[in-house]
Amino acid sequence: MKNRNRATTRHQRRRVIQQKLYVVRNVWGRDEKESILHPFIVHPGKLAKGKLNCSCRMCKYDKNYQIPKSTVVSKLELMQQEVDEYWSGI
Protein backbone atom coordinates (compact mmCIF):
# COMPACT_ATOMS: atom_id res chain seq x y z
CA MET A 1 0.00 0.00 0.00
CA LYS A 2 1.25 3.45 -0.84
CA ASN A 3 2.29 5.71 2.01
CA ARG A 4 0.07 8.75 2.31
CA ASN A 5 0.92 11.99 4.01
CA ARG A 6 -1.32 14.33 5.98
CA ALA A 7 -1.96 16.57 2.99
CA THR A 8 -3.50 13.68 1.05
CA THR A 9 -5.70 12.73 3.99
CA ARG A 10 -6.84 16.32 4.44
CA HIS A 11 -7.55 16.66 0.73
CA GLN A 12 -9.72 13.54 0.68
CA ARG A 13 -11.60 14.61 3.82
CA ARG A 14 -12.23 18.10 2.40
CA ARG A 15 -13.37 16.60 -0.90
CA VAL A 16 -15.89 14.27 0.80
CA ILE A 17 -17.21 17.08 2.99
CA GLN A 18 -17.74 19.35 -0.04
CA GLN A 19 -19.56 16.61 -1.93
CA LYS A 20 -21.93 15.91 0.96
CA LEU A 21 -22.41 19.60 1.69
CA TYR A 22 -23.52 20.01 -1.93
CA VAL A 23 -26.19 17.34 -1.33
CA VAL A 24 -27.36 19.05 1.86
CA ARG A 25 -27.63 22.44 0.20
CA ASN A 26 -28.97 21.56 -3.25
CA VAL A 27 -30.79 18.24 -2.96
CA TRP A 28 -32.21 18.69 0.52
CA GLY A 29 -32.82 22.39 -0.11
CA ARG A 30 -31.03 23.67 3.00
CA ASP A 31 -29.05 26.90 2.92
CA GLU A 32 -27.63 29.61 5.15
CA LYS A 33 -30.67 31.89 4.66
CA GLU A 34 -32.96 29.82 6.93
CA SER A 35 -33.65 30.99 10.46
CA ILE A 36 -32.67 27.61 11.96
CA LEU A 37 -29.55 26.24 10.30
CA HIS A 38 -29.06 22.56 9.67
CA PRO A 39 -26.38 21.07 11.97
CA PHE A 40 -24.33 19.92 8.97
CA ILE A 41 -24.12 23.50 7.67
CA VAL A 42 -23.09 24.85 11.08
CA HIS A 43 -20.46 22.10 11.59
CA PRO A 44 -19.55 20.69 8.15
CA GLY A 45 -16.82 18.49 9.64
CA LYS A 46 -19.56 16.11 10.79
CA LEU A 47 -20.08 15.17 7.16
CA ALA A 48 -16.66 13.47 7.01
CA LYS A 49 -18.01 10.46 8.87
CA GLY A 50 -21.12 8.48 8.14
CA LYS A 51 -23.58 8.58 5.30
CA LEU A 52 -26.31 10.94 4.22
CA ASN A 53 -29.47 8.92 4.41
CA CYS A 54 -31.89 10.23 1.88
CA SER A 55 -35.23 8.61 1.22
CA CYS A 56 -36.47 10.85 -1.56
CA ARG A 57 -38.04 9.36 -4.69
CA MET A 58 -34.93 10.11 -6.72
CA CYS A 59 -32.55 8.25 -4.39
CA LYS A 60 -34.86 5.34 -3.52
CA TYR A 61 -36.43 4.88 -6.97
CA ASP A 62 -36.65 1.07 -6.73
CA LYS A 63 -38.28 1.18 -3.31
CA ASN A 64 -40.88 3.82 -4.13
CA TYR A 65 -41.99 2.22 -7.38
CA GLN A 66 -41.80 -1.42 -6.15
CA ILE A 67 -39.18 -2.48 -8.69
CA PRO A 68 -37.59 -5.77 -7.55
CA LYS A 69 -33.82 -6.06 -7.43
CA SER A 70 -32.05 -8.19 -10.00
CA THR A 71 -31.05 -10.79 -7.39
CA VAL A 72 -34.68 -11.24 -6.38
CA VAL A 73 -35.78 -11.53 -10.00
CA SER A 74 -33.18 -14.21 -10.74
CA LYS A 75 -34.15 -16.22 -7.63
CA LEU A 76 -37.83 -16.03 -8.59
CA GLU A 77 -37.04 -17.24 -12.11
CA LEU A 78 -35.02 -20.15 -10.71
CA MET A 79 -37.83 -21.12 -8.33
CA GLN A 80 -40.39 -20.91 -11.14
CA GLN A 81 -38.20 -23.14 -13.30
CA GLU A 82 -37.98 -25.72 -10.48
CA VAL A 83 -41.76 -25.66 -10.04
CA ASP A 84 -42.27 -26.15 -13.80
CA GLU A 85 -39.84 -29.09 -13.78
CA TYR A 86 -41.67 -30.64 -10.82
CA TRP A 87 -45.09 -30.38 -12.47
CA SER A 88 -43.82 -31.66 -15.80
CA GLY A 89 -42.34 -34.74 -14.09
CA ILE A 90 -45.65 -35.79 -12.53
Side-chain angles (χ1 to χ4, degrees), residues 53-68:
N53 295 327
C54 183
S55 60
C56 70
R57 291 191 181 271
M58 183 175 69
C59 296
K60 301 284 184 176
Y61 185 84
D62 300 341
K63 180 181 175 186
N64 284 307
Y65 295 104
Q66 287 82 30
I67 298 172

Side-chain angles (χ1 to χ4, degrees), residues 14-79:
R14 195 174 304 119
R15 184 184 63 79
V16 168
I17 289 172
Q18 289 301 318
Q19 181 180 6
K20 291 179 183 178
L21 199 56
Y22 174 83
V23 171
V24 169
R25 286 184 176 144
N26 297 315
V27 177
W28 290 3
R30 300 296 191 122
D31 56 1
E32 289 85 7
K33 298 174 186 172
E34 296 178 359
S35 60
I36 299 174
L37 293 176
H38 194 275
F40 288 148
I41 293 177
V42 177
H43 304 288
K46 291 181 178 181
L47 292 169
K49 295 189 173 195
K51 297 187 285 187
L52 295 178
N53 295 327
C54 183
S55 60
C56 70
R57 291 191 181 271
M58 183 175 69
C59 296
K60 301 284 184 176
Y61 185 84
D62 300 341
K63 180 181 175 186
N64 284 307
Y65 295 104
Q66 287 82 30
I67 298 172
K69 295 183 179 180
S70 60
T71 57
V72 174
V73 171
S74 63
K75 287 179 183 178
L76 287 174
E77 289 174 356
L78 183 62
M79 289 190 313

